[in-house]
Amino acid sequence: MDATGLETLSDSELHERAVRYAVRHGDLGFLWNLLKVIPAAEAATGHQSESTADLTRVSALLSDAITAGEGNLGQALRPIYLDYLRRHPDA
């Protein structure tokens, strides 16, 4: 999908495409980066307490990663998904 087409996708669709592609291709670097930026994205969306909890609880962070395409968090992570999908047009 070209860059213009990606821009029209919802945050949830971008998340799904990026994560599905990364899992299918064993791109642990992207998945690890996603886990690292979720606390900052949580803080940016006004959920400071959740970002602090995520840093100390891996299970909470993994749960956030699964739903990281929804709501304000999905919106905050949108640039990361767009960047990744632009670098992998076959996703």
Side-chain angles (χ1 to χ4, degrees):
M1 178 174 282
D2 66 12
T4 304
L6 289 174
E7 292 290 340
T8 64
L9 296 177
S10 70
D11 301 334
S12 181
E13 289 169 315
L14 289 171
H15 165 78
E16 180 64 29
R17 278 179 176 253
V19 170
R20 183 180 35 201
Y21 183 87
V23 167
R24 188 173 47 231
H25 290 88
D27 190 346
L28 298 178
F30 172 76
L31 296 170
W32 180 247
N33 185 56
L34 182 60
L35 291 176
K36 290 190 313 186
V37 300
I38 285 175
E42 287 277 9
T45 63
H47 296 99
Q48 185 64 38
S49 62
E50 288 185 37
S51 68
T52 303
D54 286 348
L55 290 172
T56 59
R57 292 185 29 229
V58 173
S59 63
L61 189 56
L62 292 174
S63 175
D64 283 347
I66 292 168
T67 60
E70 301 172 8
N72 291 337
L73 181 58
Q75 196 171 26
L77 294 170
R78 184 178 182 86
I80 291 169
Y81 300 138
L82 284 169
D83 176 62
Y84 184 72
L85 292 169
R86 285 181 185 125
R87 290 185 286 121
H88 298 92
D90 57 327

